[in-house]
mmCIF file of all heavy atoms in Angstrom:
data_model
loop_
_atom_site.group_PDB
_atom_site.id
_atom_site.type_symbol
_atom_site.label_atom_id
_atom_site.label_comp_id
_atom_site.label_asym_id
_atom_site.label_seq_id
_atom_site.Cartn_x
_atom_site.Cartn_y
_atom_site.Cartn_z
ATOM 1 N N PRO J 755 131.836 37.516 69.772
ATOM 2 C CA PRO J 755 131.974 37.892 71.186
ATOM 3 C C PRO J 755 132.009 36.689 72.131
ATOM 4 O O PRO J 755 132.653 36.750 73.179
ATOM 5 C CB PRO J 755 130.737 38.762 71.450
ATOM 6 C CG PRO J 755 130.364 39.307 70.116
ATOM 7 C CD PRO J 755 130.705 38.204 69.139
ATOM 8 N N VAL J 756 131.360 35.613 71.768
ATOM 9 C CA VAL J 756 131.391 34.395 72.588
ATOM 10 C C VAL J 756 132.734 33.692 72.433
ATOM 11 O O VAL J 756 133.403 33.371 73.413
ATOM 12 C CB VAL J 756 130.232 33.442 72.216
ATOM 13 C CG1 VAL J 756 130.397 32.092 72.910
ATOM 14 C CG2 VAL J 756 128.901 34.066 72.581
ATOM 15 N N VAL J 757 133.157 33.454 71.190
ATOM 16 C CA VAL J 757 134.367 32.656 70.982
ATOM 17 C C VAL J 757 135.647 33.388 71.354
ATOM 18 O O VAL J 757 136.666 32.751 71.607
ATOM 19 C CB VAL J 757 134.476 32.077 69.557
ATOM 20 C CG1 VAL J 757 133.319 31.169 69.243
ATOM 21 C CG2 VAL J 757 134.619 33.150 68.515
ATOM 22 N N GLU J 758 135.602 34.713 71.437
ATOM 23 C CA GLU J 758 136.807 35.449 71.832
ATOM 24 C C GLU J 758 137.325 35.007 73.192
ATOM 25 O O GLU J 758 138.522 35.091 73.448
ATOM 26 C CB GLU J 758 136.540 36.954 71.828
ATOM 27 C CG GLU J 758 136.535 37.549 70.450
ATOM 28 C CD GLU J 758 136.245 39.038 70.439
ATOM 29 O OE1 GLU J 758 135.439 39.499 71.271
ATOM 30 O OE2 GLU J 758 136.838 39.729 69.588
ATOM 31 N N LYS J 759 136.457 34.518 74.045
ATOM 32 C CA LYS J 759 136.884 34.037 75.365
ATOM 33 C C LYS J 759 137.824 32.836 75.234
ATOM 34 O O LYS J 759 138.634 32.584 76.118
ATOM 35 C CB LYS J 759 135.667 33.699 76.215
ATOM 36 C CG LYS J 759 134.831 34.923 76.552
ATOM 37 C CD LYS J 759 133.547 34.541 77.268
ATOM 38 C CE LYS J 759 132.676 35.732 77.526
ATOM 39 N NZ LYS J 759 131.834 36.101 76.396
ATOM 40 N N ALA J 760 137.726 32.113 74.149
ATOM 41 C CA ALA J 760 138.635 30.988 73.916
ATOM 42 C C ALA J 760 140.036 31.467 73.535
ATOM 43 O O ALA J 760 141.034 30.822 73.882
ATOM 44 C CB ALA J 760 138.085 30.076 72.812
ATOM 45 N N PHE J 761 140.116 32.579 72.858
ATOM 46 C CA PHE J 761 141.407 33.062 72.357
ATOM 47 C C PHE J 761 142.395 33.332 73.480
ATOM 48 O O PHE J 761 143.585 33.017 73.366
ATOM 49 C CB PHE J 761 141.235 34.315 71.498
ATOM 50 C CG PHE J 761 140.285 34.166 70.337
ATOM 51 C CD1 PHE J 761 139.774 35.286 69.719
ATOM 52 C CD2 PHE J 761 139.898 32.918 69.866
ATOM 53 C CE1 PHE J 761 138.895 35.171 68.645
ATOM 54 C CE2 PHE J 761 139.015 32.792 68.802
ATOM 55 C CZ PHE J 761 138.516 33.926 68.190
ATOM 56 N N SER J 762 141.918 33.911 74.576
ATOM 57 C CA SER J 762 142.828 34.204 75.691
ATOM 58 C C SER J 762 143.317 32.912 76.346
ATOM 59 O O SER J 762 144.454 32.852 76.826
ATOM 60 C CB SER J 762 142.165 35.120 76.714
ATOM 61 O OG SER J 762 140.997 34.521 77.230
ATOM 62 N N VAL J 763 142.490 31.885 76.358
ATOM 63 C CA VAL J 763 142.924 30.589 76.901
ATOM 64 C C VAL J 763 144.018 30.013 76.017
ATOM 65 O O VAL J 763 145.053 29.552 76.513
ATOM 66 C CB VAL J 763 141.735 29.612 77.035
ATOM 67 C CG1 VAL J 763 142.213 28.220 77.434
ATOM 68 C CG2 VAL J 763 140.719 30.135 78.040
ATOM 69 N N PHE J 764 143.809 30.034 74.717
ATOM 70 C CA PHE J 764 144.842 29.520 73.812
ATOM 71 C C PHE J 764 146.137 30.309 73.961
ATOM 72 O O PHE J 764 147.227 29.733 73.973
ATOM 73 C CB PHE J 764 144.361 29.548 72.361
ATOM 74 C CG PHE J 764 143.245 28.587 72.076
ATOM 75 C CD1 PHE J 764 142.155 28.986 71.330
ATOM 76 C CD2 PHE J 764 143.272 27.285 72.550
ATOM 77 C CE1 PHE J 764 141.119 28.104 71.058
ATOM 78 C CE2 PHE J 764 142.249 26.394 72.299
ATOM 79 C CZ PHE J 764 141.166 26.814 71.544
ATOM 80 N N ALA J 765 146.028 31.624 74.095
ATOM 81 C CA ALA J 765 147.222 32.458 74.280
ATOM 82 C C ALA J 765 147.934 32.104 75.578
ATOM 83 O O ALA J 765 149.164 32.005 75.612
ATOM 84 C CB ALA J 765 146.838 33.931 74.256
ATOM 85 N N GLU J 766 147.169 31.903 76.651
ATOM 86 C CA GLU J 766 147.747 31.560 77.953
ATOM 87 C C GLU J 766 148.569 30.275 77.884
ATOM 88 O O GLU J 766 149.617 30.165 78.523
ATOM 89 C CB GLU J 766 146.617 31.400 78.977
ATOM 90 C CG GLU J 766 147.068 30.983 80.358
ATOM 91 C CD GLU J 766 145.899 30.759 81.312
ATOM 92 O OE1 GLU J 766 144.762 31.143 80.991
ATOM 93 O OE2 GLU J 766 146.147 30.187 82.394
ATOM 94 N N TYR J 767 148.102 29.316 77.115
ATOM 95 C CA TYR J 767 148.790 28.036 77.014
ATOM 96 C C TYR J 767 149.717 27.934 75.803
ATOM 97 O O TYR J 767 150.369 26.911 75.600
ATOM 98 C CB TYR J 767 147.771 26.888 76.994
ATOM 99 C CG TYR J 767 147.144 26.678 78.343
ATOM 100 C CD1 TYR J 767 145.957 27.307 78.690
ATOM 101 C CD2 TYR J 767 147.767 25.882 79.296
ATOM 102 C CE1 TYR J 767 145.394 27.146 79.944
ATOM 103 C CE2 TYR J 767 147.209 25.723 80.551
ATOM 104 C CZ TYR J 767 146.034 26.349 80.871
ATOM 105 O OH TYR J 767 145.482 26.185 82.113
ATOM 106 N N GLY J 768 149.787 28.983 75.011
ATOM 107 C CA GLY J 768 150.668 28.984 73.852
ATOM 108 C C GLY J 768 150.214 28.048 72.745
ATOM 109 O O GLY J 768 151.040 27.521 71.998
ATOM 110 N N VAL J 769 148.918 27.861 72.620
ATOM 111 C CA VAL J 769 148.371 26.957 71.609
ATOM 112 C C VAL J 769 147.986 27.767 70.371
ATOM 113 O O VAL J 769 147.184 28.707 70.465
ATOM 114 C CB VAL J 769 147.141 26.200 72.154
ATOM 115 C CG1 VAL J 769 146.435 25.421 71.062
ATOM 116 C CG2 VAL J 769 147.561 25.277 73.290
ATOM 117 N N PRO J 770 148.541 27.404 69.226
ATOM 118 C CA PRO J 770 148.169 28.116 68.003
ATOM 119 C C PRO J 770 146.744 27.766 67.585
ATOM 120 O O PRO J 770 146.288 26.645 67.797
ATOM 121 C CB PRO J 770 149.183 27.618 66.976
ATOM 122 C CG PRO J 770 149.661 26.311 67.488
ATOM 123 C CD PRO J 770 149.540 26.357 68.986
ATOM 124 N N TYR J 771 146.061 28.738 66.991
ATOM 125 C CA TYR J 771 144.691 28.501 66.552
ATOM 126 C C TYR J 771 144.387 29.338 65.320
ATOM 127 O O TYR J 771 145.067 30.324 65.035
ATOM 128 C CB TYR J 771 143.691 28.816 67.674
ATOM 129 C CG TYR J 771 143.679 30.253 68.109
ATOM 130 C CD1 TYR J 771 142.753 31.155 67.585
ATOM 131 C CD2 TYR J 771 144.594 30.736 69.042
ATOM 132 C CE1 TYR J 771 142.747 32.489 67.975
ATOM 133 C CE2 TYR J 771 144.583 32.058 69.445
ATOM 134 C CZ TYR J 771 143.662 32.928 68.902
ATOM 135 O OH TYR J 771 143.661 34.253 69.293
ATOM 136 N N GLU J 772 143.390 28.914 64.603
ATOM 137 C CA GLU J 772 142.862 29.662 63.466
ATOM 138 C C GLU J 772 141.377 29.848 63.692
ATOM 139 O O GLU J 772 140.722 28.988 64.272
ATOM 140 C CB GLU J 772 143.053 28.900 62.152
ATOM 141 C CG GLU J 772 144.452 28.861 61.644
ATOM 142 C CD GLU J 772 144.565 28.182 60.279
ATOM 143 O OE1 GLU J 772 143.521 27.981 59.597
ATOM 144 O OE2 GLU J 772 145.689 27.843 59.905
ATOM 145 N N VAL J 773 140.851 30.953 63.189
ATOM 146 C CA VAL J 773 139.435 31.263 63.337
ATOM 147 C C VAL J 773 138.824 31.419 61.943
ATOM 148 O O VAL J 773 139.391 32.101 61.088
ATOM 149 C CB VAL J 773 139.231 32.569 64.134
ATOM 150 C CG1 VAL J 773 137.755 32.837 64.360
ATOM 151 C CG2 VAL J 773 139.986 32.522 65.452
ATOM 152 N N HIS J 774 137.668 30.764 61.748
ATOM 153 C CA HIS J 774 136.970 30.830 60.460
ATOM 154 C C HIS J 774 135.472 30.944 60.690
ATOM 155 O O HIS J 774 134.962 30.566 61.742
ATOM 156 C CB HIS J 774 137.242 29.571 59.631
ATOM 157 C CG HIS J 774 138.683 29.371 59.309
ATOM 158 N ND1 HIS J 774 139.303 29.990 58.258
ATOM 159 C CD2 HIS J 774 139.638 28.624 59.921
ATOM 160 C CE1 HIS J 774 140.583 29.621 58.217
ATOM 161 N NE2 HIS J 774 140.808 28.800 59.231
ATOM 162 N N VAL J 775 134.771 31.446 59.683
ATOM 163 C CA VAL J 775 133.308 31.468 59.674
ATOM 164 C C VAL J 775 132.846 30.549 58.552
ATOM 165 O O VAL J 775 133.113 30.816 57.371
ATOM 166 C CB VAL J 775 132.751 32.890 59.454
ATOM 167 C CG1 VAL J 775 131.227 32.866 59.385
ATOM 168 C CG2 VAL J 775 133.224 33.834 60.537
ATOM 169 N N TYR J 776 132.200 29.448 58.935
ATOM 170 C CA TYR J 776 131.576 28.519 57.989
ATOM 171 C C TYR J 776 130.226 28.136 58.574
ATOM 172 O O TYR J 776 130.132 27.827 59.763
ATOM 173 C CB TYR J 776 132.402 27.243 57.800
ATOM 174 C CG TYR J 776 133.743 27.462 57.154
ATOM 175 C CD1 TYR J 776 134.910 27.065 57.793
ATOM 176 C CD2 TYR J 776 133.854 28.060 55.905
ATOM 177 C CE1 TYR J 776 136.156 27.248 57.211
ATOM 178 C CE2 TYR J 776 135.097 28.257 55.318
ATOM 179 C CZ TYR J 776 136.236 27.843 55.973
ATOM 180 O OH TYR J 776 137.463 28.035 55.388
ATOM 181 N N SER J 777 129.229 28.139 57.754
ATOM 182 C CA SER J 777 127.890 27.801 58.208
ATOM 183 C C SER J 777 127.516 26.402 57.734
ATOM 184 O O SER J 777 127.719 26.071 56.562
ATOM 185 C CB SER J 777 126.887 28.820 57.653
ATOM 186 O OG SER J 777 125.563 28.377 57.839
ATOM 187 N N ALA J 778 126.940 25.613 58.639
ATOM 188 C CA ALA J 778 126.460 24.277 58.256
ATOM 189 C C ALA J 778 125.345 24.382 57.228
ATOM 190 O O ALA J 778 125.161 23.470 56.420
ATOM 191 C CB ALA J 778 125.966 23.529 59.491
ATOM 192 N N HIS J 779 124.631 25.506 57.229
ATOM 193 C CA HIS J 779 123.479 25.655 56.348
ATOM 194 C C HIS J 779 123.753 26.529 55.132
ATOM 195 O O HIS J 779 123.231 26.257 54.051
ATOM 196 C CB HIS J 779 122.299 26.254 57.135
ATOM 197 C CG HIS J 779 121.939 25.425 58.320
ATOM 198 N ND1 HIS J 779 122.209 25.825 59.606
ATOM 199 C CD2 HIS J 779 121.374 24.201 58.418
ATOM 200 C CE1 HIS J 779 121.803 24.894 60.444
ATOM 201 N NE2 HIS J 779 121.296 23.897 59.759
ATOM 202 N N ARG J 780 124.565 27.564 55.294
ATOM 203 C CA ARG J 780 124.795 28.498 54.189
ATOM 204 C C ARG J 780 126.069 28.203 53.399
ATOM 205 O O ARG J 780 126.163 28.587 52.226
ATOM 206 C CB ARG J 780 124.798 29.928 54.722
ATOM 207 C CG ARG J 780 123.432 30.348 55.262
ATOM 208 C CD ARG J 780 123.436 31.771 55.789
ATOM 209 N NE ARG J 780 124.324 31.936 56.931
ATOM 210 C CZ ARG J 780 123.961 31.804 58.204
ATOM 211 N NH1 ARG J 780 122.724 31.485 58.503
ATOM 212 N NH2 ARG J 780 124.823 31.986 59.177
ATOM 213 N N THR J 781 127.049 27.543 54.022
ATOM 214 C CA THR J 781 128.280 27.172 53.303
ATOM 215 C C THR J 781 128.640 25.719 53.640
ATOM 216 O O THR J 781 129.739 25.439 54.134
ATOM 217 C CB THR J 781 129.456 28.115 53.659
ATOM 218 O OG1 THR J 781 129.687 28.037 55.078
ATOM 219 C CG2 THR J 781 129.181 29.545 53.238
ATOM 220 N N PRO J 782 127.742 24.782 53.383
ATOM 221 C CA PRO J 782 128.003 23.394 53.789
ATOM 222 C C PRO J 782 129.209 22.770 53.091
ATOM 223 O O PRO J 782 129.926 21.979 53.710
ATOM 224 C CB PRO J 782 126.704 22.667 53.436
ATOM 225 C CG PRO J 782 126.063 23.504 52.391
ATOM 226 C CD PRO J 782 126.456 24.920 52.719
ATOM 227 N N GLU J 783 129.449 23.117 51.853
ATOM 228 C CA GLU J 783 130.585 22.534 51.136
ATOM 229 C C GLU J 783 131.914 23.024 51.698
ATOM 230 O O GLU J 783 132.859 22.250 51.847
ATOM 231 C CB GLU J 783 130.487 22.824 49.633
ATOM 232 C CG GLU J 783 129.374 22.052 48.958
ATOM 233 C CD GLU J 783 129.495 20.540 49.155
ATOM 234 O OE1 GLU J 783 130.592 19.986 48.997
ATOM 235 O OE2 GLU J 783 128.468 19.916 49.512
ATOM 236 N N GLU J 784 131.976 24.292 52.027
ATOM 237 C CA GLU J 784 133.202 24.838 52.607
ATOM 238 C C GLU J 784 133.451 24.262 54.001
ATOM 239 O O GLU J 784 134.597 23.945 54.348
ATOM 240 C CB GLU J 784 133.123 26.370 52.665
ATOM 241 C CG GLU J 784 133.185 27.044 51.318
ATOM 242 C CD GLU J 784 131.866 27.077 50.548
ATOM 243 O OE1 GLU J 784 130.838 26.546 51.046
ATOM 244 O OE2 GLU J 784 131.861 27.626 49.440
ATOM 245 N N ALA J 785 132.397 24.118 54.792
ATOM 246 C CA ALA J 785 132.530 23.518 56.127
ATOM 247 C C ALA J 785 133.011 22.079 56.010
ATOM 248 O O ALA J 785 133.909 21.651 56.735
ATOM 249 C CB ALA J 785 131.197 23.584 56.876
#
C-alpha cells in the first residue's frame, strides 16, 4: 500500500519498473 504511490508516478512519466519482494533478513541471498 505504501509503494503503490510510486507506481502512478512512474506511469505519469512513462518510466518502466519492476516490483519484487526480497527481505534483507529472510531472503538475503536473493536480495
Side-chain angles (χ1 to χ4, degrees):
V756 171
V757 299
E758 283 179 325
K759 294 174 184 84
F761 304 163
S762 59
V763 173
F764 292 136
E766 177 183 348
Y767 288 92
V769 171
Y771 63 96
E772 287 184 14
V773 184
H774 299 277
V775 177
Y776 295 123
S777 168
H779 303 108
R780 294 180 296 268
T781 59
E783 289 304 314
E784 290 81 359

